[in-house]
Amino acid sequence: MSFLHPEFLYLMLPIIFILFALLLTQKENQASFFSDEVMEKLRVSANTLSLQARNALFFLMAILMVLALSGPVIKDKEIEIQAKSADIIIALDISDSMLAEDLYPNRLQLAKHKALELLKLSPSERLGVVAYAKNSYLVSPLSLDHDVVAFLLDKLDTNSITEKGTNLLSMLEVVKNGIQSEGKKYLLVLSDGGDNDDFSKEIAYAKENNIAVFVLGVATKQGAPIREESGEFIKQNGKIIISKLNENISELAVKTGGVYIQAVNSNEDITAMLHEIESVAQKKERKSKKITKYIPLFYYPLGLAMLIFLIATSSMSKRKKVEVPASIILVLSLMNGVNLKAGVLDFVDLNNAKTAYEKGEFEKAQDVYKEYAKQHKNDASYYNSANSLYKQKEYKKAISQYKKAHFSDKKQEASKLANIGNSYAKMGDEKSLQSAIESYENSLKLKEDKDTRENLEAVKKALKKKQQQQKDNKDDQKNDKNQDKNKDQKKQNKDQKEQQKQDKKDQQNQNSQDQNQQNNDQQQKNKEQNQQKQNQEKDNEQSQKQKEQEQQNKENKEEKLDAQQNGAMQQQKAKMSDAEEKKWLKALNQKQKTFLYQLNQDQQIQRSQDEKPW
């Protein structure tokens, strides 16, 4: 035997010994003045315990209570507890189309909110983040530090990648290189689907590299325009682009072993997606720990202490008969054989059953739940056993187990009734469908649920369809007769339409001939006008040449005259004095009116050495 909390023995027993040692050695106040015989006569009743006897019982009771507090146990066996988790990569589409505002506040912000919510709902899973548009980049590797992953995820926007477009294949390549493991890889894509209609390459690549793709479609079928940071909408060929949800991306999820869910503003979609991922994910062992299972013994000293307490507080005599009903009742209750076998670690068996259920070992899980339900008459175990039978397609047995579970909580009872309805619906015959409708309606009376409501409507349609089949067979015979009549009528209509088409075609040909004749006449007029313009241009060119020739002759005459004048000035200059020469140049300049001089007087022309002649 050992103690789980021996510190109670070390700390409390010494204090109790000291305290009761003082109490047990203390005498009654009157005993210091009278003898024992006198004290016996002075007492009102001789059927009571003495002070020392009562204190001795209290002392023994205190010791037993300290022993109970210290947790006496007997070692039973060791159990290994394993910590497991799945590796999930979150792929966030940050292309410009995610700026559309058909979801509040826009697609990108809602997708980031869904990813952050997933981090909160899966604290024990390793998560990583990939951002992709035309190219893809690893934002965060797989990590259990969700605070860091959330920080990096929150900083992503459409400016994080400059290349525009959506390329899922490059994203899958990053996922393949980002998770270095031989097992299956799990990828959650948050996207509007892009513009690709064919995902066959992506599906083949995901299957080849053992990647299960789960897609959360973050857009609506109605779509919305894409607003840039400037406030303007993105246009193509002058028209505003309307970006819509591309539901073809669901093929990528379904054909790779994943699930496709369209996003909603609440968190129900991401909760359902996490449940789907965990139901198929192969969790890996991260660490394990062995714990020891003990058989507790605290109730023995505690029960004995309670018995002593009743004796000490009752009127018990040492010499005469005394009634002690309370003591007898306690002893009988202890001897009645109350089953005090502790189920402290029953959770281990239930945890094993849950693990088997998540791995798809439904038969093993059902056996554990069924055995536990028999032993403890536990409603939850009946319910879990029925779930396992349902997964094995044993619908009748599942219904039987569901009916054994009775919950006081309305939510649990509604869930049970909904599952009974699902089992009846799976059986498929008309009677079962009616029973399913009844179960769904009873469930909705307790708690309104969207999925249950949808199942109810679907089963009603299926039942109505079965009832309609016989009626449809009779209607088919009538339709055959009507079809013959319709064929004749269609033939007549077809002949009339062909005649109308022929008439219309002849009219169009006649109109075309008239139009061609008008075009030919117009072309002839245009040719004549062009010929007149050409002749006029030739006459203008000839007159222009004549004017240029006359101007050239005039300039030649002026040059000759200037040359003669310059010669005369040179001869005269040779005969002049310096003063006469200055005076003569001054007068000559006043008479000269050429541009060259005027320019030289205003400023000099400066030319660069690198200036080209043309």
Side-chain angles (χ1 to χ4, degrees):
M1 187 178 71
S2 59
F3 296 93
L4 295 178
H5 306 287
E7 60 271 14
F8 286 101
L9 299 175
Y10 307 144
L11 298 176
M12 298 185 70
L13 282 182
I15 297 174
I16 291 173
F17 276 107
I18 295 172
L19 178 61
F20 279 95
L22 296 174
L23 292 174
L24 292 174
T25 57
Q26 184 180 4
K27 294 183 178 181
E28 296 182 19
N29 293 331
Q30 296 85 354
S32 59
F33 302 101
F34 303 99
S35 63
D36 293 339
E37 292 80 5
V38 174
M39 289 298 300
E40 286 291 335
K41 294 178 181 180
L42 290 175
R43 288 192 179 98
V44 176
S45 175
N47 291 333
T48 58
L49 292 173
S50 65
L51 178 63
Q52 290 183 344
R54 199 182 303 275
N55 288 340
L57 290 176
F58 282 131
F59 173 65
L60 183 58
M61 182 189 70
I63 293 175
L64 292 172
M65 291 182 68
V66 171
L67 288 175
L69 286 173
S70 63
V73 291
I74 298 176
K75 185 176 179 181
D76 186 11
K77 59 182 177 180
E78 288 188 347
I79 299 174
E80 184 177 8
I81 303 297
Q82 297 178 343
K84 297 181 179 181
S85 67
D87 294 338
I88 305 172
I89 286 286
I90 302 172
L92 182 63
D93 184 356
I94 58 173
S95 59
D96 284 346
S97 63
M98 295 295 286
L99 295 175
E101 298 177 353
D102 49 350
L103 293 172
Y104 181 80
N106 61 33
R107 296 176 185 174
L108 180 59
Q109 293 299 324
L110 182 63
K112 288 163 64 175
H113 171 75
K114 301 293 183 186
L116 293 172
E117 187 66 23
L118 179 66
L119 292 174
K120 295 178 183 178
L121 294 174
S122 53
S124 62
E125 314 295 351
R126 289 205 310 169
L127 298 174
V129 178
V130 171
Y132 75 96
K134 191 69 175 177
N135 288 333
S136 304
Y137 301 93
L138 181 65
V139 178
S140 170
L142 290 170
S143 174
L144 288 169
D145 191 347
H146 291 183
D147 291 336
V148 174
V149 177
F151 175 80
L152 297 173
L153 183 65
D154 190 53
K155 298 298 180 183
L156 291 175
D157 56 28
T158 55
N159 296 322
S160 301
I161 299 178
T162 57
E163 296 89 349
K164 307 301 179 184
T166 304
N167 189 345
L168 285 167
L169 192 59
S170 69
M171 180 266 293
L172 292 172
E173 292 174 355
V174 171
V175 173
K176 174 198 169 185
N177 299 327
I179 303 179
Q180 301 294 337
S181 64
E182 298 179 357
K184 202 170 186 66
K185 305 174 181 69
Y186 303 96
L187 171 66
L188 173 59
V189 179
L190 303 172
S191 172
D192 56 11
D195 299 322
N196 194 5
D197 293 330
D198 183 16
F199 292 91
S200 55
K201 291 183 180 179
E202 289 83 353
I203 292 170
Y205 187 87
K207 288 182 177 180
E208 180 182 352
N209 294 280
N210 207 13
I211 301 174
V213 182
F214 296 79
V215 179
L216 186 66
V218 189
T220 62
K221 297 178 182 179
Q222 293 77 18
I226 304 170
R227 189 189 299 274
E228 296 180 314
E229 293 181 357
S230 61
E232 297 181 354
F233 294 116
I234 295 178
K235 298 181 180 179
Q236 185 178 24
N237 299 326
K239 296 182 179 180
I240 295 176
I241 299 174
I242 301 297
S243 174
K244 300 180 180 180
L245 174 64
N246 183 7
E247 291 186 313
N248 293 326
I249 198 174
S250 61
E251 297 180 2
L252 177 61
V254 175
K255 293 184 179 180
T256 57
V259 173
Y260 170 80
I261 297 177
Q262 186 174 347
V264 295
N265 285 328
S266 66
N267 292 327
E268 292 180 359
D269 50 359
I270 199 66
T271 304
M273 182 64 77
L274 179 61
H275 177 73
E276 293 293 340
I277 295 174
E278 289 181 342
S279 65
V280 300
Q282 299 174 357
K283 295 192 175 184
K284 302 175 184 177
E285 182 180 342
R286 301 300 173 195
K287 58 182 179 180
S288 62
K289 182 179 180 181
K290 289 185 177 181
I291 63 173
T292 304
K293 182 179 179 181
Y294 296 99
I295 299 175
L297 304 174
F298 69 91
Y299 35 82
Y300 293 117
L302 183 61
L304 189 56
M306 293 176 65
L307 176 61
I308 294 174
F309 176 76
L310 291 174
I311 295 172
T313 55
S314 64
S315 298
M316 186 173 292
S317 174
K318 296 178 288 184
R319 296 173 296 174
K320 295 184 178 181
K321 180 180 177 182
V322 179
E323 295 181 0
V324 285
S327 302
I328 295 173
I329 292 172
L330 180 59
V331 172
L332 290 176
S333 65
L334 292 174
M335 295 177 62
N336 196 29
V338 178
N339 184 13
L340 295 175
K341 182 179 179 182
V344 177
L345 292 180
D346 283 340
F347 74 92
V348 176
D349 295 332
L350 296 177
N351 187 56
N352 293 334
K354 181 181 178 183
T355 303
Y357 185 89
E358 291 174 349
K359 289 181 178 180
E361 299 173 358
F362 303 118
E363 186 174 355
K364 179 180 177 181
Q366 191 268 334
D367 291 339
V368 176
Y369 283 130
K370 185 177 180 181
E371 184 64 26
Y372 187 85
K374 286 182 179 179
Q375 292 180 0
H376 300 275
K377 302 297 180 182
N378 184 269
D379 293 323
S381 298
Y382 283 122
Y383 180 81
N384 292 329
S385 174
N387 287 340
S388 301
L389 288 169
Y390 179 87
K391 290 291 186 179
Q392 298 176 65
K393 299 182 179 180
E394 298 285 347
Y395 302 120
K396 289 185 178 180
K397 294 181 180 179
I399 292 170
S400 176
Q401 290 293 96
Y402 279 130
K403 289 182 177 180
K404 292 180 181 179
H406 301 283
F407 297 105
S408 58
D409 182 64
K410 289 185 178 181
K411 183 177 180 181
Q412 292 178 324
E413 185 69 16
S415 178
K416 181 199 76 172
L417 291 172
N419 287 347
I420 292 176
N422 294 338
S423 301
Y424 276 124
K426 288 290 185 178
M427 294 169 69
D429 57 272
E430 185 174 345
K431 185 177 179 181
S432 297
L433 292 177
Q434 291 175 348
S435 300
I437 292 172
E438 184 180 351
S439 297
Y440 286 140
E441 290 175 345
N442 291 334
S443 175
L444 291 171
K445 288 178 182 177
L446 295 175
K447 182 180 180 295
E448 182 63 32
D449 182 73
K450 180 182 177 183
D451 293 335
T452 305
R453 179 70 64 184
E454 291 176 354
N455 291 341
L456 174 60
E457 296 301 325
V459 172
K460 284 183 177 180
K461 289 180 181 179
L463 180 60
K464 187 175 180 181
K465 186 176 180 181
K466 280 184 174 293
Q467 294 173 347
Q468 191 70 20
Q469 284 179 352
Q470 294 180 354
K471 185 177 178 181
D472 291 343
N473 293 333
K474 295 179 180 179
D475 293 340
D476 289 341
Q477 295 177 357
K478 294 180 181 180
N479 291 335
D480 292 339
K481 294 179 180 180
N482 293 332
Q483 285 177 0
D484 294 336
K485 293 180 180 180
N486 292 334
K487 285 181 181 179
D488 297 336
Q489 185 64 32
K490 287 181 179 178
K491 186 176 181 181
Q492 293 177 1
N493 294 336
K494 184 177 181 182
D495 295 337
Q496 291 177 359
K497 288 182 179 179
E498 288 179 354
Q499 183 63 37
Q500 291 175 357
K501 287 182 180 179
Q502 185 64 33
D503 295 341
K504 188 176 181 180
K505 187 175 182 181
D506 294 339
Q507 182 66 30
Q508 289 178 349
N509 291 334
Q510 182 64 35
N511 294 336
S512 179
Q513 291 176 0
D514 295 340
Q515 184 66 30
N516 291 335
Q517 183 64 34
Q518 291 177 2
N519 292 337
N520 292 333
D521 295 341
Q522 184 66 30
Q523 289 178 359
Q524 185 64 30
K525 289 181 180 179
N526 292 337
K527 286 181 180 180
E528 291 175 358
Q529 291 177 357
N530 291 335
Q531 185 65 34
Q532 291 176 358
K533 287 182 180 180
Q534 291 176 0
N535 293 334
Q536 187 176 0
E537 289 175 357
K538 288 181 180 180
D539 295 339
N540 293 335
E541 288 178 0
Q542 290 178 359
S543 62
Q544 184 68 23
K545 287 181 180 180
Q546 289 177 0
K547 289 180 181 180
E548 291 177 356
Q549 186 65 33
E550 291 175 357
Q551 182 69 23
Q552 186 67 32
N553 294 335
K554 185 177 179 181
E555 290 176 356
N556 291 335
K557 288 180 182 180
E558 290 177 355
E559 289 177 359
K560 288 180 181 179
L561 182 60
D562 290 339
Q564 291 175 0
Q565 290 177 354
N566 290 334
M569 285 188 293
Q570 292 293 334
Q571 292 176 359
Q572 188 175 2
K573 182 179 177 182
K575 299 176 182 180
M576 291 180 184
S577 64
D578 293 338
E580 290 175 338
E581 182 180 355
K582 291 179 180 180
K583 185 177 180 181
W584 182 81
L585 288 173
K586 183 178 180 180
L588 183 63
N589 286 335
Q590 290 176 350
K591 295 179 180 180
Q592 182 67 34
K593 297 299 180 183
T594 64
F595 184 78
L596 180 61
Y597 285 99
Q598 293 289 334
L599 183 62
N600 284 341
Q601 287 177 355
D602 292 338
Q603 62 182 19
Q604 293 183 342
I605 299 176
Q606 297 183 1
R607 298 185 183 276
S608 172
Q609 295 180 353
D610 297 331
E611 186 179 358
K612 294 183 172 58
W614 56 84

mmCIF file with all atom_site columns, all heavy atoms in Angstrom, residues 273-287:
data_model
loop_
_atom_site.group_PDB
_atom_site.id
_atom_site.type_symbol
_atom_site.label_atom_id
_atom_site.label_alt_id
_atom_site.label_comp_id
_atom_site.label_asym_id
_atom_site.label_entity_id
_atom_site.label_seq_id
_atom_site.pdbx_PDB_ins_code
_atom_site.Cartn_x
_atom_site.Cartn_y
_atom_site.Cartn_z
_atom_site.occupancy
_atom_site.B_iso_or_equiv
_atom_site.pdbx_formal_charge
_atom_site.auth_seq_id
_atom_site.auth_comp_id
_atom_site.auth_asym_id
_atom_site.auth_atom_id
_atom_site.pdbx_PDB_model_num
ATOM 1   N N   . MET A 1 273 ? -16.501 20.768 -41.617 1.00 0.00 ? 273 MET A N   1
ATOM 2   C CA  . MET A 1 273 ? -15.313 20.399 -42.391 1.00 0.00 ? 273 MET A CA  1
ATOM 3   C C   . MET A 1 273 ? -14.263 19.743 -41.496 1.00 0.00 ? 273 MET A C   1
ATOM 4   O O   . MET A 1 273 ? -13.646 18.742 -41.872 1.00 0.00 ? 273 MET A O   1
ATOM 5   C CB  . MET A 1 273 ? -14.743 21.650 -43.061 1.00 0.00 ? 273 MET A CB  1
ATOM 6   C CG  . MET A 1 273 ? -13.528 21.380 -43.937 1.00 0.00 ? 273 MET A CG  1
ATOM 7   S SD  . MET A 1 273 ? -13.916 20.326 -45.356 1.00 0.00 ? 273 MET A SD  1
ATOM 8   C CE  . MET A 1 273 ? -14.742 21.519 -46.417 1.00 0.00 ? 273 MET A CE  1
ATOM 9   N N   . LEU A 1 274 ? -14.041 20.295 -40.298 1.00 0.00 ? 274 LEU A N   1
ATOM 10  C CA  . LEU A 1 274 ? -13.079 19.700 -39.372 1.00 0.00 ? 274 LEU A CA  1
ATOM 11  C C   . LEU A 1 274 ? -13.522 18.297 -38.965 1.00 0.00 ? 274 LEU A C   1
ATOM 12  O O   . LEU A 1 274 ? -12.684 17.385 -38.863 1.00 0.00 ? 274 LEU A O   1
ATOM 13  C CB  . LEU A 1 274 ? -12.930 20.593 -38.139 1.00 0.00 ? 274 LEU A CB  1
ATOM 14  C CG  . LEU A 1 274 ? -11.974 20.085 -37.056 1.00 0.00 ? 274 LEU A CG  1
ATOM 15  C CD1 . LEU A 1 274 ? -10.561 19.937 -37.609 1.00 0.00 ? 274 LEU A CD1 1
ATOM 16  C CD2 . LEU A 1 274 ? -11.976 21.017 -35.848 1.00 0.00 ? 274 LEU A CD2 1
ATOM 17  N N   . HIS A 1 275 ? -14.816 18.113 -38.746 1.00 0.00 ? 275 HIS A N   1
ATOM 18  C CA  . HIS A 1 275 ? -15.331 16.783 -38.401 1.00 0.00 ? 275 HIS A CA  1
ATOM 19  C C   . HIS A 1 275 ? -15.063 15.786 -39.534 1.00 0.00 ? 275 HIS A C   1
ATOM 20  O O   . HIS A 1 275 ? -14.666 14.634 -39.278 1.00 0.00 ? 275 HIS A O   1
ATOM 21  C CB  . HIS A 1 275 ? -16.830 16.872 -38.115 1.00 0.00 ? 275 HIS A CB  1
ATOM 22  C CG  . HIS A 1 275 ? -17.463 15.542 -37.816 1.00 0.00 ? 275 HIS A CG  1
ATOM 23  N ND1 . HIS A 1 275 ? -17.259 14.870 -36.635 1.00 0.00 ? 275 HIS A ND1 1
ATOM 24  C CD2 . HIS A 1 275 ? -18.271 14.742 -38.571 1.00 0.00 ? 275 HIS A CD2 1
ATOM 25  C CE1 . HIS A 1 275 ? -17.928 13.717 -36.664 1.00 0.00 ? 275 HIS A CE1 1
ATOM 26  N NE2 . HIS A 1 275 ? -18.545 13.628 -37.825 1.00 0.00 ? 275 HIS A NE2 1
ATOM 27  N N   . GLU A 1 276 ? -15.249 16.234 -40.789 1.00 0.00 ? 276 GLU A N   1
ATOM 28  C CA  . GLU A 1 276 ? -15.002 15.350 -41.932 1.00 0.00 ? 276 GLU A CA  1
ATOM 29  C C   . GLU A 1 276 ? -13.517 14.997 -42.048 1.00 0.00 ? 276 GLU A C   1
ATOM 30  O O   . GLU A 1 276 ? -13.157 13.851 -42.330 1.00 0.00 ? 276 GLU A O   1
ATOM 31  C CB  . GLU A 1 276 ? -15.482 16.024 -43.221 1.00 0.00 ? 276 GLU A CB  1
ATOM 32  C CG  . GLU A 1 276 ? -16.987 16.219 -43.312 1.00 0.00 ? 276 GLU A CG  1
ATOM 33  C CD  . GLU A 1 276 ? -17.734 14.905 -43.426 1.00 0.00 ? 276 GLU A CD  1
ATOM 34  O OE1 . GLU A 1 276 ? -17.121 13.892 -43.802 1.00 0.00 ? 276 GLU A OE1 1
ATOM 35  O OE2 . GLU A 1 276 ? -18.942 14.877 -43.126 1.00 0.00 ? 276 GLU A OE2 1
ATOM 36  N N   . ILE A 1 277 ? -12.657 15.977 -41.818 1.00 0.00 ? 277 ILE A N   1
ATOM 37  C CA  . ILE A 1 277 ? -11.216 15.717 -41.902 1.00 0.00 ? 277 ILE A CA  1
ATOM 38  C C   . ILE A 1 277 ? -10.784 14.741 -40.822 1.00 0.00 ? 277 ILE A C   1
ATOM 39  O O   . ILE A 1 277 ? -10.041 13.785 -41.068 1.00 0.00 ? 277 ILE A O   1
ATOM 40  C CB  . ILE A 1 277 ? -10.424 17.036 -41.801 1.00 0.00 ? 277 ILE A CB  1
ATOM 41  C CG1 . ILE A 1 277 ? -10.726 17.935 -43.014 1.00 0.00 ? 277 ILE A CG1 1
ATOM 42  C CG2 . ILE A 1 277 ? -8.924  16.765 -41.725 1.00 0.00 ? 277 ILE A CG2 1
ATOM 43  C CD1 . ILE A 1 277 ? -10.103 19.309 -42.916 1.00 0.00 ? 277 ILE A CD1 1
ATOM 44  N N   . GLU A 1 278 ? -11.245 14.963 -39.590 1.00 0.00 ? 278 GLU A N   1
ATOM 45  C CA  . GLU A 1 278 ? -10.853 14.088 -38.478 1.00 0.00 ? 278 GLU A CA  1
ATOM 46  C C   . GLU A 1 278 ? -11.410 12.676 -38.637 1.00 0.00 ? 278 GLU A C   1
ATOM 47  O O   . GLU A 1 278 ? -10.821 11.719 -38.141 1.00 0.00 ? 278 GLU A O   1
ATOM 48  C CB  . GLU A 1 278 ? -11.339 14.691 -37.160 1.00 0.00 ? 278 GLU A CB  1
ATOM 49  C CG  . GLU A 1 278 ? -10.574 15.949 -36.758 1.00 0.00 ? 278 GLU A CG  1
ATOM 50  C CD  . GLU A 1 278 ? -11.064 16.512 -35.437 1.00 0.00 ? 278 GLU A CD  1
ATOM 51  O OE1 . GLU A 1 278 ? -12.182 16.154 -35.027 1.00 0.00 ? 278 GLU A OE1 1
ATOM 52  O OE2 . GLU A 1 278 ? -10.322 17.306 -34.821 1.00 0.00 ? 278 GLU A OE2 1
ATOM 53  N N   . SER A 1 279 ? -12.541 12.537 -39.343 1.00 0.00 ? 279 SER A N   1
ATOM 54  C CA  . SER A 1 279 ? -13.135 11.209 -39.509 1.00 0.00 ? 279 SER A CA  1
ATOM 55  C C   . SER A 1 279 ? -12.317 10.320 -40.448 1.00 0.00 ? 279 SER A C   1
ATOM 56  O O   . SER A 1 279 ? -12.390 9.100  -40.366 1.00 0.00 ? 279 SER A O   1
ATOM 57  C CB  . SER A 1 279 ? -14.569 11.341 -40.036 1.00 0.00 ? 279 SER A CB  1
ATOM 58  O OG  . SER A 1 279 ? -14.567 11.897 -41.339 1.00 0.00 ? 279 SER A OG  1
ATOM 59  N N   . VAL A 1 280 ? -11.524 10.926 -41.342 1.00 0.00 ? 280 VAL A N   1
ATOM 60  C CA  . VAL A 1 280 ? -10.725 10.138 -42.292 1.00 0.00 ? 280 VAL A CA  1
ATOM 61  C C   . VAL A 1 280 ? -9.223  10.257 -42.042 1.00 0.00 ? 280 VAL A C   1
ATOM 62  O O   . VAL A 1 280 ? -8.435  9.492  -42.600 1.00 0.00 ? 280 VAL A O   1
ATOM 63  C CB  . VAL A 1 280 ? -11.037 10.552 -43.744 1.00 0.00 ? 280 VAL A CB  1
ATOM 64  C CG1 . VAL A 1 280 ? -12.492 10.327 -44.058 1.00 0.00 ? 280 VAL A CG1 1
ATOM 65  C CG2 . VAL A 1 280 ? -10.664 12.008 -43.996 1.00 0.00 ? 280 VAL A CG2 1
ATOM 66  N N   . ALA A 1 281 ? -8.828  11.231 -41.218 1.00 0.00 ? 281 ALA A N   1
ATOM 67  C CA  . ALA A 1 281 ? -7.399  11.473 -41.011 1.00 0.00 ? 281 ALA A CA  1
ATOM 68  C C   . ALA A 1 281 ? -6.748  10.340 -40.219 1.00 0.00 ? 281 ALA A C   1
ATOM 69  O O   . ALA A 1 281 ? -7.322  9.828  -39.257 1.00 0.00 ? 281 ALA A O   1
ATOM 70  C CB  . ALA A 1 281 ? -7.185  12.800 -40.283 1.00 0.00 ? 281 ALA A CB  1
ATOM 71  N N   . GLN A 1 282 ? -5.571  9.973  -40.653 1.00 0.00 ? 282 GLN A N   1
ATOM 72  C CA  . GLN A 1 282 ? -4.774  8.970  -39.944 1.00 0.00 ? 282 GLN A CA  1
ATOM 73  C C   . GLN A 1 282 ? -3.848  9.711  -38.986 1.00 0.00 ? 282 GLN A C   1
ATOM 74  O O   . GLN A 1 282 ? -2.822  10.245 -39.390 1.00 0.00 ? 282 GLN A O   1
ATOM 75  C CB  . GLN A 1 282 ? -3.974  8.123  -40.935 1.00 0.00 ? 282 GLN A CB  1
ATOM 76  C CG  . GLN A 1 282 ? -4.843  7.355  -41.916 1.00 0.00 ? 282 GLN A CG  1
ATOM 77  C CD  . GLN A 1 282 ? -4.018  6.648  -42.980 1.00 0.00 ? 282 GLN A CD  1
ATOM 78  O OE1 . GLN A 1 282 ? -2.792  6.777  -43.023 1.00 0.00 ? 282 GLN A OE1 1
ATOM 79  N NE2 . GLN A 1 282 ? -4.675  5.915  -43.856 1.00 0.00 ? 282 GLN A NE2 1
ATOM 80  N N   . LYS A 1 283 ? -4.226  9.756  -37.724 1.00 0.00 ? 283 LYS A N   1
ATOM 81  C CA  . LYS A 1 283 ? -3.457  10.518 -36.745 1.00 0.00 ? 283 LYS A CA  1
ATOM 82  C C   . LYS A 1 283 ? -2.167  9.791  -36.385 1.00 0.00 ? 283 LYS A C   1
ATOM 83  O O   . LYS A 1 283 ? -2.139  8.572  -36.261 1.00 0.00 ? 283 LYS A O   1
ATOM 84  C CB  . LYS A 1 283 ? -4.290  10.761 -35.487 1.00 0.00 ? 283 LYS A CB  1
ATOM 85  C CG  . LYS A 1 283 ? -5.504  11.645 -35.742 1.00 0.00 ? 283 LYS A CG  1
ATOM 86  C CD  . LYS A 1 283 ? -6.135  12.100 -34.443 1.00 0.00 ? 283 LYS A CD  1
ATOM 87  C CE  . LYS A 1 283 ? -7.274  13.073 -34.718 1.00 0.00 ? 283 LYS A CE  1
ATOM 88  N NZ  . LYS A 1 283 ? -7.857  13.609 -33.478 1.00 0.00 ? 283 LYS A NZ  1
ATOM 89  N N   . LYS A 1 284 ? -1.107  10.581 -36.237 1.00 0.00 ? 284 LYS A N   1
ATOM 90  C CA  . LYS A 1 284 ? 0.206   10.040 -35.904 1.00 0.00 ? 284 LYS A CA  1
ATOM 91  C C   . LYS A 1 284 ? 0.513   10.271 -34.430 1.00 0.00 ? 284 LYS A C   1
ATOM 92  O O   . LYS A 1 284 ? 0.119   11.282 -33.851 1.00 0.00 ? 284 LYS A O   1
ATOM 93  C CB  . LYS A 1 284 ? 1.272   10.718 -36.767 1.00 0.00 ? 284 LYS A CB  1
ATOM 94  C CG  . LYS A 1 284 ? 1.036   10.543 -38.262 1.00 0.00 ? 284 LYS A CG  1
ATOM 95  C CD  . LYS A 1 284 ? 2.051   11.338 -39.048 1.00 0.00 ? 284 LYS A CD  1
ATOM 96  C CE  . LYS A 1 284 ? 1.766   11.252 -40.536 1.00 0.00 ? 284 LYS A CE  1
ATOM 97  N NZ  . LYS A 1 284 ? 2.703   12.087 -41.315 1.00 0.00 ? 284 LYS A NZ  1
ATOM 98  N N   . GLU A 1 285 ? 1.242   9.341  -33.855 1.00 0.00 ? 285 GLU A N   1
ATOM 99  C CA  . GLU A 1 285 ? 1.605   9.454  -32.442 1.00 0.00 ? 285 GLU A CA  1
ATOM 100 C C   . GLU A 1 285 ? 2.708   10.483 -32.269 1.00 0.00 ? 285 GLU A C   1
ATOM 101 O O   . GLU A 1 285 ? 3.771   10.397 -32.893 1.00 0.00 ? 285 GLU A O   1
ATOM 102 C CB  . GLU A 1 285 ? 2.063   8.102  -31.914 1.00 0.00 ? 285 GLU A CB  1
ATOM 103 C CG  . GLU A 1 285 ? 2.413   8.128  -30.435 1.00 0.00 ? 285 GLU A CG  1
ATOM 104 C CD  . GLU A 1 285 ? 2.874   6.775  -29.919 1.00 0.00 ? 285 GLU A CD  1
ATOM 105 O OE1 . GLU A 1 285 ? 2.591   5.762  -30.607 1.00 0.00 ? 285 GLU A OE1 1
ATOM 106 O OE2 . GLU A 1 285 ? 3.508   6.730  -28.859 1.00 0.00 ? 285 GLU A OE2 1
ATOM 107 N N   . ARG A 1 286 ? 2.461   11.503 -31.449 1.00 0.00 ? 286 ARG A N   1
ATOM 108 C CA  . ARG A 1 286 ? 3.447   12.543 -31.182 1.00 0.00 ? 286 ARG A CA  1
ATOM 109 C C   . ARG A 1 286 ? 4.258   12.239 -29.920 1.00 0.00 ? 286 ARG A C   1
ATOM 110 O O   . ARG A 1 286 ? 5.463   12.409 -29.894 1.00 0.00 ? 286 ARG A O   1
ATOM 111 C CB  . ARG A 1 286 ? 2.747   13.899 -31.030 1.00 0.00 ? 286 ARG A CB  1
ATOM 112 C CG  . ARG A 1 286 ? 1.942   14.314 -32.257 1.00 0.00 ? 286 ARG A CG  1
ATOM 113 C CD  . ARG A 1 286 ? 2.799   14.425 -33.481 1.00 0.00 ? 286 ARG A CD  1
ATOM 114 N NE  . ARG A 1 286 ? 2.016   14.660 -34.683 1.00 0.00 ? 286 ARG A NE  1
ATOM 115 C CZ  . ARG A 1 286 ? 2.475   14.517 -35.897 1.00 0.00 ? 286 ARG A CZ  1
ATOM 116 N NH1 . ARG A 1 286 ? 3.717   14.119 -36.093 1.00 0.00 ? 286 ARG A NH1 1
ATOM 117 N NH2 . ARG A 1 286 ? 1.705   14.746 -36.944 1.00 0.00 ? 286 ARG A NH2 1
ATOM 118 N N   . LYS A 1 287 ? 3.579   11.783 -28.860 1.00 0.00 ? 287 LYS A N   1
ATOM 119 C CA  . LYS A 1 287 ? 4.258   11.402 -27.627 1.00 0.00 ? 287 LYS A CA  1
ATOM 120 C C   . LYS A 1 287 ? 3.340   10.480 -26.833 1.00 0.00 ? 287 LYS A C   1
ATOM 121 O O   . LYS A 1 287 ? 2.140   10.439 -27.066 1.00 0.00 ? 287 LYS A O   1
ATOM 122 C CB  . LYS A 1 287 ? 4.640   12.630 -26.804 1.00 0.00 ? 287 LYS A CB  1
ATOM 123 C CG  . LYS A 1 287 ? 3.464   13.513 -26.420 1.00 0.00 ? 287 LYS A CG  1
ATOM 124 C CD  . LYS A 1 287 ? 3.943   14.732 -25.652 1.00 0.00 ? 287 LYS A CD  1
ATOM 125 C CE  . LYS A 1 287 ? 2.771   15.629 -25.281 1.00 0.00 ? 287 LYS A CE  1
ATOM 126 N NZ  . LYS A 1 287 ? 3.215   16.819 -24.524 1.00 0.00 ? 287 LYS A NZ  1
#
